[in-house]
Amino acid sequence: REQCITNLPKSHGQRQRRDSIPWASQVKDVSLRWAATVSHKQTLEKLVAYLREEVPMVRQFDVRSAGVDASGLVLEVPLAINFNDKHTAFAGTLASLCTLSGWAMTSLICEAAGLKADIAATHSEITYARPCTEEKVRATCAWPADATAAAFTTALASQGRAELSLFAQVLSRDKVAVRFSGNYIARML
């Protein structure tokens, strides 16, 4: 089965020389500090398109890319088709959206390092702190620390397998509605 992670066009002007990044010699084409580049946005859009094609639930929930910035990546769904009996966001949608945001983040990190990998969620914890009533429900998965990303990509490149822990959240009315932590396993293809 083909993966959707391919060699996408490199961003222009957003790269730093590999020899100035301590761990970059161990992997190829590393993007420094996970800048919100055109390449990251294009990669996220391709990942979401792949998920919409391959995972029926993603189509049913109408998961969309809402962007990549310095704080992380954002996936969104419309509340209009993802609500519960109280007309707030359905907990199953919130859990799925957070899980998918972590999968997409792991995929972006692998792509930035030039590594093709099969990725799966292996463990997650979620806290529903308050109802979510936003018209567009958005899960933001934060970029991991540089050292964490470096250890992950180095292990993946050298051992063919690595695990990454990530954090996501959903805001509602400018307050945290959902807190998520998840572990993702990547295996080299």
Side-chain angles (χ1 to χ4, degrees):
R1 185 168 171 176
E2 285 186 61
Q3 285 296 108
C4 67
I5 302 172
T6 59
N7 290 325
L8 298 175
K10 305 287 185 245
S11 61
H12 301 287
Q14 295 289 324
R15 295 240 194 269
Q16 186 172 20
R17 290 182 40 192
R18 288 168 46 114
D19 59 355
S20 65
I21 306 169
W23 51 271
S25 63
Q26 298 170 16
V27 293
K28 62 181 184 171
D29 299 326
V30 175
S31 180
L32 182 65
R33 228 10 231 138
W34 315 116
T37 65
V38 172
S39 179
H40 282 124
K41 291 174 186 174
Q42 290 172 340
T43 301
L44 180 58
E45 288 170 8
K46 287 186 179 209
L47 290 168
V48 171
Y50 168 80
L51 289 170
R52 290 176 67 85
E53 180 72 25
E54 297 295 323
V55 183
M57 181 256 340
V58 174
R59 278 192 310 276
Q60 294 299 317
F61 290 172
D62 196 19
V63 175
R64 304 275 176 176
S65 165
V68 180
D69 63 22
S71 65
L73 68 81
V74 182
L75 297 180
E76 69 180 16
V77 297
L79 179 62
I81 61 171
N82 290 286
F83 61 87
N84 59 25
D85 60 325
K86 295 159 195 64
H87 294 277
T88 61
F90 175 62
T93 301
L94 294 167
S96 297
L97 193 60
C98 288
T99 302
L100 289 168
S101 72
W103 181 90
M105 178 61 76
T106 306
S107 297
L108 282 180
I109 292 167
C110 289
E111 176 66 28
L115 303 170
K116 287 189 177 189
D118 188 27
I119 298 161
T122 58
H123 178 80
S124 66
E125 293 184 17
I126 193 161
T127 301
Y128 303 98
R130 57 184 287 123
C132 186
T133 58
E134 302 294 322
E135 184 177 316
K136 292 286 185 184
V137 179
R138 292 185 173 99
T140 302
C141 184
W143 292 107
D146 287 341
T148 301
F152 170 74
T153 55
T154 299
L156 184 57
S158 65
Q159 300 168 16
R161 177 182 185 278
E163 186 170 7
L164 182 63
S165 295
L166 294 169
F167 300 94
Q169 68 179 13
V170 175
L171 298 179
S172 182
R173 309 289 180 226
D174 298 322
K175 295 183 181 174
V176 175
V178 178
R179 287 180 193 86
F180 171 90
S181 62
N183 296 343
Y184 297 84
I185 268 294
R187 287 188 174 87
M188 291 293 292
L189 294 175

